[in-house]
Amino acid sequence: MTVNEEKLKQDFPILSQIVNDEPLVYLDNAATTQKPRQVLDAVVQYYETANANVHRGVHTLAARATEQYEGARETVRRFIHAEETAEVLFTRGTTTSLNWLAQSLGDAVVEAGDEILISYMEHHSNIIPWQQLAKRKQAKLVYIELTKDGQLDLADAKAKITEKTKIVALTHVSNVLGVINPIKELTKWAHAKGAVMVVDGAQAVPHMPVDVQALDADFYAFSGHKMLAPTGIGVLYGKRVWLERLAPVEFGGEMIDFVYEQDSTWKELPWKFEAGTPNMSGAIGLAAAIDYLEAIGMENIFAQEQAVAAYLLPKLAAIDGVTVYGPKDASLRTGVISFNIDELHPHDVATAFDMEGVAVRAGHHCAQPLMRYMDLAATARASFYVYNTQADADKFIDAIQKTKEFFSYGLN
Amino acid sequence: MALTKLDQLYRAVILDHSKNPRHRGVLDQATTQIELNNPTCGDVIQIQLLVEDGIVKDARFEGSGCTIAMSSASMMTEAIIGKTEAEALKLAADFSQVVQGKAVENEEALGDAMMLSGVSKFPARIKCATLSWKALEIALQDKDNQGTAGQLKHDE
């Protein structure tokens, strides 16, 4: 089966609108994706038929809500191939997942003089939590270099994973370069030196099959809203052996076993980490999004994105003055394409694209160290997803041509 | 084509200021200088002023940013040199009105900067236009400040 983008597009009410007198071409999927009717309906149906607080009430709705919420956890477990649902924690998103780890895992394994290893292609959410942990513990934050074409420098990675390294935290797919990192191999290297492997999967899980057991990573974080689900729901996967060892980061209702005046005990996994009323509708929306993606097939989605990259990269290379960042080999990437046009500032480019109905991101993409590393102030970024058609890809190329023409006419 | 609408924003005179910026560089003897950045987009602007006897005798800007931010800074320096501090502050206040699509009494005083009135139709770009003018306001109001003013506030 291949992906029928035209047909899929009809499932997304927001995509049928006109923006600036042009049909909307939404190419900002690395920032957030649009939601199909199936996901919106699942959220509405939950509120109309099942809403109650989970794990507490004995009444019928409470049981129904609990069943749906825990059913969503099982859907996620199956989707990422975790061994058991106890290893699937619901969070607000990747940022919260990584902050929890920097706090709890950081306290458990990092001491003064230790090293935490990340790379120059990380999103701020996989930099700052570790940077602040390093400051708190007087540990050292070490960065893996990149190759000239924007891949992780694997020789440098191997050299920098040492006995001093306690945590290796890397992105599975770069939100700027679109490059896919060899997480399985890197995890082996980390484990060989006794380090814990943490993976930021925010740009990977929506776009390709991910099997956390095959990767063997100790922790894996991702967000719902980048994969057709509502905002405010995300996942932290952790191996049971680690989650048992870690202390919860947040305290309150839902996560306790017994509470005494001076001390408390925690519930078993996964609820030990989920303090307070969870985002039930978000989890149910996420499960609906997973159902939707699985119906298309993650292999198909991945193949389609690589095909889009393979279609666009030569076309972009043929346009004078267009620079694309990251590897030129489409098989190394997803459908994230960062670029600049001539000497134009990406904000001017994004405004011009917007006038053509094409929504792209411009700026530092929450990756200031990467921008500095590449000696760039900013880039424009087009990022494709399942509902983007061949016509969208052509409109993107067309928008580049028109933008070039507009500004060269004005500037010359 | 829909890009014709871009003409409302990128008038020829704006593109000219971007390509041939006026007063871009560094002053030998600045009495006050300021750096301001917009954290949402990463644009940075440095403004230097030479203020003597309450008059802006000279001004320079440096920085990195989009066409709108850089041309606005260039236009600003043209508008304020030779003006009193009070007049320069009034121009900054007027400019803030203009980019929100509001009328001001003395449009001529803003000079080329009036050309940026089209930015009011592009709400996401208003802060690009006001960055240098906000830096000017801070520089004139806090003349002891010789360094960074930090970031543009959310509601500016």
Side-chain angles (χ1 to χ4, degrees):
Chain A
M1 188 192 120
T2 53
V3 183
N4 185 342
E5 304 91 351
E6 286 294 351
K7 190 164 169 292
L8 287 180
K9 209 167 198 171
Q10 292 166 15
D11 290 332
F12 294 78
I14 200 170
L15 295 176
S16 63
Q17 67 187 291
I18 301 294
V19 169
N20 296 316
D21 303 327
E22 297 282 337
L24 171 64
V25 175
Y26 185 79
L27 299 180
D28 195 15
N29 294 291
T32 198
T33 57
Q34 302 304 345
K35 322 305 175 194
R37 209 179 293 278
Q38 290 83 340
V39 167
L40 304 175
D41 286 351
V43 172
V44 170
Q45 195 177 8
Y46 165 75
Y47 278 120
E48 287 185 351
T49 63
N51 181 51
N53 211 325
V54 290
H55 299 138
R56 277 188 273 224
V58 292
H59 58 77
T60 302
L61 285 187
R64 200 177 286 163
T66 304
E67 192 186 328
Q68 292 187 14
Y69 178 67
E70 293 304 329
R73 199 189 306 276
E74 166 57 18
T75 302
V76 173
R77 183 207 65 74
R78 194 191 66 232
F79 184 62
I80 61 171
H81 305 278
E83 193 174 344
E84 47 176 330
T85 51
E87 297 175 322
V88 175
L89 315 182
F90 282 124
T91 68
R92 280 196 294 138
T94 308
T95 299
T96 303
S97 300
L98 295 170
N99 273 278
W100 281 10
L101 285 179
Q103 187 83 32
S104 187
L105 178 65
D107 280 347
V109 304
V110 176
E111 287 170 17
D114 287 344
E115 291 183 358
I116 303 158
L117 185 61
I118 62 172
S119 83
Y120 277 108
M121 69 167 79
E122 303 307 316
H123 186 283
H124 291 164
S125 61
N126 199 35
I127 299 174
I128 309 168
W130 307 116
Q131 175 192 78
Q132 297 302 308
L133 167 66
K135 285 176 75 173
R136 200 166 73 234
K137 296 275 186 172
Q138 273 107 47
K140 195 174 165 199
L141 185 62
V142 181
Y143 287 75
I144 300 170
E145 307 279 329
L146 309 184
T147 62
K148 279 209 175 80
D149 71 343
Q151 297 185 61
L152 206 61
D153 183 336
L154 294 179
D156 192 54
K158 199 161 195 180
K160 282 176 177 163
I161 302 174
T162 69
E163 274 74 23
K164 280 187 176 174
T165 313
K166 291 297 181 298
I167 297 171
V168 178
L170 294 172
T171 190
H172 197 164
V173 172
S174 162
N175 71 312
V176 178
L177 304 166
V179 64
I180 305 164
N181 290 323
I183 293 298
K184 197 171 172 178
E185 200 173 5
L186 289 155
T187 302
K188 271 188 201 140
W189 298 347
H191 286 166
K193 300 288 182 182
V196 183
M197 186 71 186
V198 175
V199 182
D200 168 359
Q203 300 290 345
V205 174
H207 306 283
M208 62 179 68
V210 170
D211 181 330
V212 291
Q213 290 191 75
L215 293 173
D216 200 30
D218 300 293
F219 296 95
Y220 197 103
F222 61 99
S223 299
H225 73 97
K226 293 188 196 290
M227 51 186 286
L228 312 182
T231 48
I233 188 74
V235 171
L236 173 59
Y237 158 82
K239 283 183 185 166
R240 174 182 275 277
V241 59
W242 275 113
L243 292 178
E244 296 276 11
R245 192 176 150 190
L246 296 190
V249 176
E250 294 177 344
F251 305 95
E254 301 257 2
M255 52 80 69
I256 49 87
D257 185 14
F258 288 104
V259 178
Y260 305 101
E261 285 176 31
Q262 304 300 333
D263 206 354
S264 299
T265 56
W266 319 134
K267 249 189 200 166
E268 61 182 312
L269 291 174
W271 304 290
K272 161 174 116 171
F273 288 93
E274 294 181 3
T277 300
N279 182 357
M280 287 97 73
S281 66
I284 286 154
L286 175 59
I290 289 171
D291 289 344
Y292 187 92
L293 292 170
E294 283 185 326
I296 305 165
M298 293 310 296
E299 289 284 0
N300 293 325
I301 290 169
F302 186 45
Q304 179 218 13
E305 282 197 36
Q306 294 212 304
V308 167
Y311 177 74
L312 285 174
L313 290 173
K315 282 193 184 301
L316 291 165
I319 304 174
D320 191 35
V322 172
T323 309
V324 173
Y325 304 99
K328 304 294 175 280
D329 177 354
S331 71
L332 300 170
R333 357 184 3 146
T334 62
V336 173
I337 296 177
S338 289
F339 64 99
N340 274 317
I341 304 175
D342 298 322
E343 301 297 307
L344 293 177
H345 193 283
H347 287 136
D348 298 318
V349 171
T351 293
F353 275 46
D354 189 40
M355 292 303 107
E356 287 287 309
V358 181
V360 295
R361 173 86 191 266
H364 51 58
H365 315 292
C366 297
Q368 287 182 13
L370 174 61
M371 292 290 125
R372 225 170 280 127
Y373 189 81
M374 298 197 303
D375 199 21
L376 290 168
T379 76
R381 179 187 71 187
S383 49
F384 290 75
Y385 205 27
V386 287
Y387 37 68
N388 290 123
T389 60
Q390 172 86 26
D392 290 353
D394 290 332
K395 188 80 194 271
F396 167 60
I397 295 291
D398 189 46
I400 290 179
Q401 300 281 18
K402 284 181 173 163
T403 302
K404 267 180 71 74
E405 278 165 33
F406 178 85
F407 282 102
S408 30
Y409 175 75
L411 289 169
N412 291 330
Chain B
M1 87 183 191
L3 278 185
T4 50
K5 273 183 285 183
L6 272 186
D7 283 334
Q8 298 169 13
L9 182 58
Y10 298 99
R11 313 286 284 271
V13 64
I14 294 171
L15 296 175
D16 178 55
H17 273 272
S18 169
K19 196 183 173 196
N20 307 302
R22 308 349 174 216
H23 309 111
R24 185 165 187 159
V26 180
L27 280 179
D28 290 336
Q29 288 181 311
T31 52
T32 176
Q33 54 194 354
I34 207 83
E35 177 176 302
L36 189 65
N37 72 77
N38 181 350
T40 60
C41 66
D43 284 0
V44 185
I45 194 112
Q46 294 108 24
I47 301 285
Q48 287 189 313
L49 300 176
L50 174 64
V51 181
E52 284 173 352
D53 306 325
I55 292 171
V56 181
K57 290 275 174 64
D58 209 348
R60 291 285 183 283
F61 80 97
E62 255 309 336
S64 69
C66 63
T67 301
I68 304 299
M70 295 297 110
S71 60
S72 181
S74 170
M75 292 164 168
M76 180 198 76
T77 58
E78 280 198 324
I80 61 165
I81 290 173
K83 300 287 193 304
T84 67
E85 290 177 72
E87 286 166 343
L89 282 169
K90 176 71 169 76
L91 286 173
D94 279 359
F95 184 76
S96 175
Q97 296 292 303
V98 164
V99 294
Q100 292 174 66
K102 294 172 187 162
V104 294
E105 271 181 34
N106 194 356
E107 291 186 353
E108 294 76 29
L110 279 168
D112 284 354
M114 267 309 289
M115 288 296 171
L116 280 164
S117 61
V119 83
S120 64
K121 303 272 194 330
F122 297 77
R125 305 300 300 278
I126 291 175
K127 282 185 185 177
C128 309
T130 53
L131 183 66
S132 54
W133 290 89
K134 289 295 169 191
L136 171 72
E137 283 182 339
I138 297 167
L140 289 174
Q141 283 161 359
D142 181 12
K143 285 195 281 288
D144 294 333
N145 196 329
Q146 293 293 311
T148 173
Q151 50 184 256
L152 192 66
K153 291 195 176 58
H154 183 71
D155 55 357
E156 284 179 336

